[in-house]
C-alpha cells in the first residue's frame, strides 16, 4: 500500500523528512537560470528548464538520505505549460531515483471533476485504445471543504491505482484558526474534518495501521498536533511548518506514534535555498541541511 | 474593475450565463478526436489538440450570446502538460473573442505559494529582465479553508492586476452540508466563511457594489442561496448546479439582487454535450441550448 511503501522507506533511512521542491526563481542559483536564458532567451521555457535542472540537482544530492520529495504545484504553474512539463519531469526523475513523490496541489472538487483530478495524478486517461498516465505521483494533497463528495472520488482512484492523499486538517499558517479552530458542537472544526477523514477511509488501512487518507497538520501548532495524533489513530500526517515557519524538532515529535511512525516532516526553503546562507554550492548545501535535519529529527523521534 | 466588466457584459447581452468548458473526452465528438489521433497517434497531445479544437468551436458558437466561459482545470490537467497548454490556448482564444474567462481551479495555499498561484493566473513572472504572463485569466476560483492567509495573497495580486476571484462558500454537491452546514455559534459554516470574505474584501468594491472576492453558491440549495444573497450584499455569486445537477431557473433567481445583478449561472455538460441529445452538430447544439438557457434565465431574472 502506498503509505506502507513510504513508511518502509522512512524506516530504512531512519529519516521522516520530505524535501519540498518549491522552486521560486529566487531560490534557483543565478548561473543556472542565466545558462538557460542564454539558450532560450528570457522565456518561461528557459525558467522551466532552469527549475528542472535545479530540482534534478537537489534530488541527486538527497535521494540516498531522504525518502520523499514534495513538489509544490503553484511554482510550476507560475511558469505556464512549460512549468507544468518541468513538474512532470521532476516527478518522473524523483521516481527513477527511488523517491516517494507527494504532489502538493491541494486539489478539490466533486463528481466527475474530482475524478478528472484523480485521473490526472493517480490514474490513466484513455485515448483511443491506449491508457496513458498524465503525472502518476504516489500521493496528492487535497482540501476537504466540499465534504466526502470531494474526497471519495480521489479515494476510489487511489484504491484502484495504489495511491494515497493528504487532506488539509490543521494548517501551519497564522490565520489557520479563523475557520479551523472554530467550535462545531464540542469539537473544533479541524477535529470534525479529521474524524470525517478517518471514517471514510477506514476500509483502506495498511500494514502499519494507516489508511490511504492522511492529514496535513502544521508543526506550528504543537498542542493540536499532539491532540490530533491521539485522536486520529489511522491517519498518516504530513507536517509542514518546520524550520522557516518556526516549528522546532521538539514540536514535530508529537506527530509520531509510540513506534516513531505515522508522520513525515516537510522542509522546503530550509533545504533547497540553504546555498543562500552557506555561500557553498546548492547541492552540497541542500545535502548538509538535509543531514542536519535528519539527525535532529532522529534525536526526538527515535529517542 | 474586473467584476464591473463582467456585469457590463452580462447587462449588454441580458444573459447571466457562463459556459463551463469541462471537456471530458467523452464529450468531444469522436470525429474530432479521431482526426487528431490520425495525426499524432493515441497520445495526450492528440487528446489535448482535440479538446482545443472542440473548445474553439464552442466559443465560436456562443461568444456573441454568452458573456463568459469557465474552463475547469481538472480536465486539462488530466491530459498532462499538453492538456495544460490546451487550457492556456483555450483561455487566450476566449479572450480574443471578447469573453470573460473564469478559471475553475479551486486553488488554495498560503504565503509565497498562494502568491505563486496568483502570479500564475493573474500576474506576471520575471525571467531575467522580462515580465511574462503564464495564464492571465479574468477570475479564478479558490478555496478559503486556510483562512484569510489563504485569500489575501490572491486579493493583493487581483488588485494590482485588476482581477477577481470566487471562493467556495456553499457548494452544490449532496454532501456539501457535512461541513459547510455545521453550526459555529449561531451561524452555519458557510455564513462564517461568507462573512469573512465580505470583511477582507470591503476595500475593493466596484461600481455595481461588488468586491473582488465573489462566492461559489450552488443552485441546488435555493433557500441558502436566498439567505446568502440577503446577507452578503457585496459578494458576486458564481452559481453551479443548474441543469445537469438539478437546479432550476426559479431556484437560481434567488442569486440575483433587486436589479437582477450580482450573479452568473454556470452550465457545463448541458451546453457542451448538448450534441449527444440532439444528434445535431456540437456547435449548433451548444448555441441552441445556450439560447434556451438565456431565455429561461431572462424570464426569472429580468421579469
Amino acid at each position: 500500500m502506498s503509505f506502507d511503501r513510504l513508511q518502509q522507506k522512512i524506516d530504512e533511512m531512519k529519516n521522516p523528512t520530505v524535501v519540498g521542491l518549491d522552486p521560486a526563481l529566487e531560490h534557483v542559483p543565478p548561473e543556472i537560470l542565466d545558462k538557460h536564458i542564454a539558450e532560450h532567451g528570457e522565456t518561461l521555457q528557459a525558467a522551466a528548464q532552469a527549475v528542472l535542472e535545479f530540482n534534478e540537482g537537489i534530488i541527486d544530492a538527497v535521494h540516498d538520505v531522504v525518502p520523499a520529495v514534495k513538489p509544490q504545484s503553484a511554482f510550476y504553474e507560475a511558469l505556464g505549460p512549460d512549468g507544468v512539463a518541468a513538474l512532470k519531469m521532476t516527478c518522473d526523475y524523483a521516481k527513477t531515483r527511488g523517491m516517494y513523490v507527494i504532489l502538493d496541489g491541494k486539489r478539490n472538487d466533486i463528481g466527475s471533476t474530482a475524478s478528472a483530478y484523480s485521473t490526472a495524478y493517480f490514474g490513466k486517461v484513455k485515448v483511443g485504445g491506449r491508457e496513458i498516465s498524465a503525472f502518476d505521483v504516489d500521493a496528492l494533497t487535497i482540501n476537504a471543504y466540499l465534504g466526502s463528495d470531494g474526497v471519495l472520488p480521489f479515494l476510489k482512484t487511489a484504491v484502484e491505482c495504489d495511491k494515497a492523499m493528504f487532506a488539509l486538517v490543521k494548517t501551519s499558517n497564522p490565520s489557520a484558526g479563523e475557520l479551523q479552530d472554530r467550535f462545531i458542537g464540542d469539537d473544533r472544526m479541524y477535529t470534525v474534518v479529521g474524524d470525517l477523514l478517518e471514517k471514510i477511509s477506514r476500509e483502506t488501512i495498511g500494514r502499519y495501521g494507516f489508511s490511504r487518507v492522511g492529514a496535513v497538520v502544521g508543526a506550528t501548532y504543537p498542542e493540536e498536533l499532539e491532540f490530533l495524533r491521539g485522536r486520529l489513530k489511522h491517519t498518516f500526517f504530513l507536517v509542514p511548518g518546520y524550520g522557516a515557519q518556526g516549528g522546532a524538532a521538539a514540536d514535530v515529535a508529537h506527530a509520531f506514534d509510540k513506534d516513531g511512525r505515522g508522520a513525515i516532516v516537510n522542509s522546503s526553503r530550509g533545504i533547497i535555498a540553504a546555498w543562500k546562507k552557506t555561500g557553498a554550492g546548492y547541492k552540497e548545501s541542500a545535502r548538509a541541511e538535509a543531514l542536519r535535519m535528519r539527525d535532529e529529527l532522529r534525536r526526538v523521534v527515535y529517542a
Side-chain angles (χ1 to χ4, degrees), chain A residues 171-185:
Chain A
T171 55
S172 59
N173 53 307
S175 81
E178 279 175 7
L179 298 171
Q180 299 162 24
D181 287 1
R182 303 297 292 273
F183 275 101
I184 293 175

Side-chain angles (χ1 to χ4, degrees), chain A residues 60-73:
Chain A
D60 288 342
V62 303
H63 77 281
D64 59 329
V65 290
V66 174
V69 286
K70 181 175 75 65
Q72 167 50 255
S73 194

Side-chain angles (χ1 to χ4, degrees), chain A residues 15-224:
Chain A
N15 186 12
T17 297
V18 50
V19 173
L21 296 174
D22 298 17
L25 289 182
E26 78 232 40
H27 298 331
V28 178
E31 61 273 19
I32 296 181
L33 190 56
D34 290 347
K35 185 178 84 181
H36 291 278
I37 287 177
E39 194 174 345
H40 298 289
E42 292 175 338
T43 59
L44 294 179
Q45 189 190 2
Q49 298 212 351
V51 159
L52 179 61
E53 178 180 336
F54 175 69
N55 284 346
E56 289 181 351
I58 297 281
I59 291 165
D60 288 342
V62 303
H63 77 281
D64 59 329
V65 290
V66 174
V69 286
K70 181 175 75 65
Q72 167 50 255
S73 194
F75 294 99
Y76 304 85
E77 293 174 44
L79 306 179
D82 288 313
V84 175
L87 171 64
K88 177 180 167 54
M89 287 186 274
T90 295
C91 294
D92 290 348
Y93 188 73
K95 287 193 294 180
T96 65
R97 304 293 326 233
M99 300 187 85
Y100 187 90
V101 178
I102 302 165
L103 179 62
D104 197 350
K106 298 184 175 63
R107 295 301 195 254
N108 61 110
D109 218 296
I110 55 168
S112 63
T113 305
S115 296
Y117 276 131
S118 55
T119 297
Y121 297 107
F122 293 161
K124 289 176 196 287
V125 65
K126 199 166 177 188
V127 181
R130 230 179 116 214
E131 296 202 317
I132 313 168
S133 286
F135 293 92
D136 196 29
V137 297
D138 296 298
L140 177 70
T141 62
I142 64 170
N143 181 319
Y145 182 74
L146 293 128
S148 53
D149 296 336
V151 180
L152 291 172
F154 289 96
L155 186 55
K156 181 172 182 285
T157 314
V159 168
E160 288 163 7
C161 304
D162 191 15
K163 308 290 186 180
M165 70 209 75
F166 295 96
L168 299 187
V169 170
K170 170 73 181 178
T171 55
S172 59
N173 53 307
S175 81
E178 279 175 7
L179 298 171
Q180 299 162 24
D181 287 1
R182 303 297 292 273
F183 275 101
I184 293 175
D186 293 331
D187 291 315
R188 293 190 191 265
M189 190 189 299
Y190 58 73
T191 309
V192 174
V193 175
D195 287 350
L196 176 67
L197 300 172
E198 281 252 327
K199 187 178 140 206
I200 63 184
S201 64
R202 64 186 162 200
E203 303 297 317
T204 69
I205 293 171
R207 60 191 270 219
Y208 296 105
F210 302 105
S211 81
R212 290 184 189 272
V213 183
V216 175
V217 186
T220 46
Y221 298 104
E223 283 176 33
E224 290 81 349

